[in-house]
Amino acid sequence: MINFKTKITLFAFSVFLLGCDKNNSGAAKKGPLPEKSVNGAVLNVSIESIYDSLDPQTAVYATSFELIGNMMDGLMQMADDGSVKPAVAKEMKVSSDGLHYTFTLRDDVYWSNGVRVTADDFVYGWQRAIDPALESEYAFMISDIAQIKNATAIQAGQMEVNQLGVRAVDDFTFEVELQVPVSYFEQLLYFCTFYPANREFVEKCGDKYATSPETCLSNGAFLLTEYSEKGNTVSFIKNTAYYDASKVKLGGLHYELVKNGDEALQKYKAGQLDFVELSGSAVDKMKNDSDFKAVDSGFLYFITFNFDDTHFANKNLRKAVTFALDREQIVNEMADGSAAAYAAIPKGFAFSKSGQDFTANGIEFPNDCNLDIDKAQEYWQAAKRELGVSSLEVELLTADNETQVIACNSIKRQLEDTLDGLSVRIKTVEKKERRKIMSSGQFEFGLNNWGPDYADPMTYLAMWVTGNDNNMGRYFNPTYNALIASCTDGELCTKIQERWSALKRAEAMVMEDAVISPIYQKRNGDLIKPNVKGIAFHAVAINRIYKNTTKQP
């Protein structure tokens, strides 16, 4: 790998700036263009898993959210302390009924081709996200979560996208109308799905949009300079035309995809990488080093059972698996600081008005998720009787990430040791393929994960509603659906305390029905060079932000 120095020069910069907008000769005259070369330190970072897209309206992976967050700002952004602060919007007004939001935009925000960012860009970006033609897996954020007026009907193909409850009053006034009040609406506005998009640029790029530096536009702290959909490196340069450029001290960012913890450690020690995420034995080697930092990622890892599968449609089999697992043993073998999980909602990201964590410490659902060998064997015997088998072979699907493979090997060993006659075959595939297989329903059970997109339990509980794209196990429970609906657009949506209690009842349903089997809450074992300061870590939405990061010589 090239160890990037302190000055970056963009290759073919003129082509990069114009990209899909190269025929619009007036665009570059409308505002400042980023400088062609930038002085400043480059932060070299490891990526431990593949990214799926740099299109903010279609991306689904946390690594993609981070990369997009480097180069784009929405109406709001996360402060380093996790609070919400203005970004493109300089002012927000909310009607007394909580249904109408009016945003006044800054007039000094420009796309990297010199075109000013306006309210029309937010209208188009949000319409694009909900448009059925785009087939965005995150369209539900506009409809089910944000409750934008008419979004559900548009998503169902019953209304046109131009009827979405968003409007550009003028270039710098953006209005939003909701179906019902949403208490966490402000938090959604720093998530990628709600970022703006320039219609002319996107339509000129067509299917190539956000697939290369030439087909990406930036309005944020950094510009993309190196990227390919199948590549192992991604690079950014500071955007000198960014409205907040004076606060950005880095000259750029350079990411490299690493295969495992040992490779990350080797490159860190060689000085090729400044910030790496470790896994496997590398964590144990370095956990006492002064450069080591354990960071809560917010991600919950859990087994998803396929309710359409002949075997795992059986509740007793799902219960047998859940009670047979020693989660403490699994995280000990992973050795990365992750914590055993016993609930469907992870700890430390969703809090009540009084500051109470939604997920309590300890084993919250002992009758549904716990290590209990006797119960596991009892459920296993019942499952065999109901399935009419004396033995069973099942396939456990996992991504090829080193830590996930360690966890699945432990799961396999424990299940086979505890449940006599059960044989577990592990199928290991690339992360993208794992998601594709699970989304298509072509699996039996698999290690899945989810990170919170916003600080409310609904970011998890909405997954198991019938019809949600992330309901990969095809769970169907009309009572559960109705309870979640009452908390989103029904009678409980404005009753904060009652809604909180209802969400806890919904979680209890998930646990009692063994929709999933929680395994661990991920912690990242990071190494950060002493001369690097100011990386902002978040459990919600974008996990790492570098806007205020510095790297001393």
Side-chain angles (χ1 to χ4, degrees):
M1 182 196 108
I2 299 173
N3 189 13
F4 285 67
K5 301 297 183 182
T6 58
K7 187 169 184 177
I8 312 169
T9 301
L10 295 182
F11 176 73
F13 192 77
S14 59
V15 176
F16 163 71
L17 286 176
L18 297 175
C20 297
D21 205 33
K22 60 187 176 184
N23 295 320
N24 186 358
S25 59
K29 300 177 182 178
K30 296 180 181 179
L33 293 174
E35 294 178 7
K36 295 183 179 182
S37 62
V38 179
N39 290 315
V42 176
L43 186 70
N44 298 297
V45 183
S46 72
I47 300 180
E48 59 86 28
S49 62
I50 200 71
Y51 35 87
D52 65 309
S53 173
L54 292 186
D55 181 339
Q57 273 78 51
T58 63
V60 297
Y61 292 158
T63 44
S64 294
F65 298 154
E66 179 177 323
L67 298 178
I68 294 167
N70 289 334
M71 60 180 178
M72 295 191 73
D73 272 5
L75 293 168
M76 301 291 173
Q77 61 186 309
M78 267 191 293
D80 286 356
D81 64 3
S83 61
V84 182
K85 69 175 186 177
V88 179
K90 65 180 182 180
E91 183 181 25
M92 179 182 76
K93 294 181 179 179
V94 188
S95 62
S96 59
D97 61 6
L99 297 178
H100 297 84
Y101 285 73
T102 302
F103 299 92
T104 303
L105 308 187
R106 300 176 64 112
D107 62 4
D108 58 349
V109 183
Y110 294 89
W111 293 109
S112 48
N113 61 358
V115 175
R116 195 189 300 270
V117 176
T118 68
D120 281 324
D121 295 324
F122 285 96
V123 170
Y124 176 64
W126 294 24
Q127 288 178 345
R128 186 171 178 268
I130 197 64
D131 190 342
L134 189 65
E135 297 182 334
S136 171
E137 292 186 40
Y138 265 79
F140 74 94
M141 290 287 284
I142 301 290
S143 54
D144 300 347
I145 306 305
Q147 290 290 319
I148 308 297
K149 185 177 181 180
N150 297 333
T152 300
I154 294 168
Q155 194 175 12
Q158 298 168 354
M159 297 179 76
E160 298 297 320
V161 294
N162 60 9
Q163 293 178 281
L164 186 67
V166 294
R167 184 168 76 102
V169 178
D170 54 43
D171 280 354
F172 304 113
T173 308
F174 176 57
E175 290 186 347
V176 180
E177 184 175 0
L178 307 185
Q179 292 280 150
V180 295
V182 176
S183 60
Y184 48 83
F185 182 73
E186 187 178 356
Q187 298 174 31
L188 302 177
L189 302 178
Y190 53 59
F191 191 71
C192 295
T193 309
F194 297 89
Y195 284 179
N198 182 272
R199 181 191 296 271
E200 183 176 3
F201 185 87
V202 173
E203 291 181 349
K204 282 188 177 181
C205 290
D207 292 342
K208 298 295 184 182
Y209 174 61
T211 59
S212 67
E214 295 77 25
T215 58
C216 284
L217 275 185
S218 168
N219 73 340
F222 298 93
L223 307 171
L224 184 70
T225 59
E226 178 193 3
Y227 168 77
S228 67
E229 291 182 291
K230 296 183 179 180
N232 292 325
T233 58
V234 184
S235 295
F236 296 86
I237 188 175
K238 176 181 175 178
N239 179 8
T240 58
Y242 179 47
Y243 67 88
D244 221 7
S246 63
K247 294 182 180 177
V248 181
K249 304 305 180 185
L250 290 175
L253 298 163
H254 180 75
Y255 290 84
E256 182 168 347
L257 186 68
V258 295
K259 297 177 182 177
N260 53 54
D262 287 335
E263 181 185 355
L265 179 57
Q266 179 183 4
K267 292 189 173 183
Y268 183 84
K269 288 184 173 181
Q272 295 175 293
L273 295 174
D274 305 305
F275 171 32
V276 300
E277 183 178 320
L278 301 179
S279 58
S281 60
V283 177
D284 199 47
K285 293 176 185 175
M286 299 300 295
K287 63 185 179 182
N288 294 320
D289 192 274
S290 60
D291 291 0
F292 184 83
K293 180 181 179 69
V295 179
D296 285 319
S297 73
F299 273 78
L300 180 71
Y301 282 72
F302 50 92
I303 291 174
T304 292
F305 300 106
N306 188 350
F307 279 64
D308 288 343
D309 178 73
T310 302
H311 300 133
F312 284 105
N314 185 281
K315 184 175 179 177
N316 285 319
L317 178 58
R318 302 194 303 272
K319 289 283 193 180
V321 169
T322 295
F323 282 105
L325 295 176
D326 184 343
R327 291 157 179 80
E328 303 295 340
Q329 177 63 31
I330 293 171
V331 297
N332 285 340
E333 292 179 26
M334 290 162 52
D336 65 350
S338 293
Y342 298 93
I345 309 295
K347 301 174 186 176
F349 89 95
F351 297 88
S352 68
K353 293 291 185 181
S354 63
Q356 181 182 6
D357 196 326
F358 187 82
T359 299
N361 290 324
I363 300 174
E364 190 172 1
F365 300 95
N367 294 325
D368 297 308
C369 183
N370 194 7
L371 172 63
D372 191 322
I373 300 301
D374 291 339
K375 275 189 178 181
Q377 292 175 343
E378 180 181 337
Y379 281 119
W380 173 232
Q381 293 304 320
K384 288 193 291 184
R385 287 195 302 271
E386 292 171 356
L387 294 171
V389 300
S390 58
S391 62
L392 189 62
E393 183 179 18
V394 293
E395 184 174 85
L396 176 62
L397 179 66
T398 183
D400 58 1
N401 173 275
E402 182 179 18
T403 303
Q404 294 174 48
V405 171
I406 292 171
C408 284
N409 283 330
S410 183
I411 291 169
K412 167 185 166 65
R413 186 178 64 255
Q414 292 186 41
L415 292 179
E416 291 179 342
D417 288 348
T418 301
L419 307 178
D420 185 42
L422 182 68
S423 176
V424 179
R425 180 177 65 256
I426 296 177
K427 181 176 182 179
T428 304
V429 298
E430 289 187 351
K431 183 177 181 178
K432 281 186 178 181
E433 184 66 13
R434 194 274 303 166
R435 184 174 179 85
K436 180 179 178 182
I437 291 171
M438 295 189 82
S439 295
S440 69
Q442 302 301 309
F443 73 103
E444 297 178 49
F445 71 144
L447 186 61
N448 203 349
N449 66 79
W450 189 259
D453 300 323
Y454 51 98
D456 187 88
M458 191 64 76
T459 190
Y460 283 89
L461 296 172
M463 281 195 292
W464 300 299
V465 170
T466 302
N468 189 294
D469 286 340
N470 293 296
N471 184 7
M472 297 177 180
R474 307 299 196 269
Y475 176 58
F476 175 71
N477 183 335
T479 303
Y480 181 83
N481 294 344
L483 185 57
I484 294 299
S486 73
C487 295
T488 52
D489 60 0
E491 61 178 336
L492 298 180
C493 69
T494 58
K495 300 175 181 178
I496 303 301
Q497 188 170 347
E498 293 176 47
R499 177 181 180 273
W500 194 260
S501 298
L503 292 176
K504 182 55 74 173
R505 293 199 302 275
E507 182 188 23
M509 285 186 192
V510 170
M511 299 303 297
E512 200 281 327
D513 284 347
V515 179
I516 64 168
S517 181
I519 303 298
Y520 61 94
Q521 184 168 341
K522 185 75 168 67
R523 296 196 86 196
N524 295 332
D526 295 336
L527 287 178
I528 307 172
K529 294 290 187 182
N531 62 331
V532 175
K533 307 293 183 183
I535 299 173
F537 294 94
H538 301 287
V540 176
I542 301 173
N543 296 134
R544 306 184 297 198
I545 297 176
Y546 305 99
K547 181 176 176 179
N548 297 320
T549 301
T550 60
K551 177 184 172 182
Q552 298 301 321

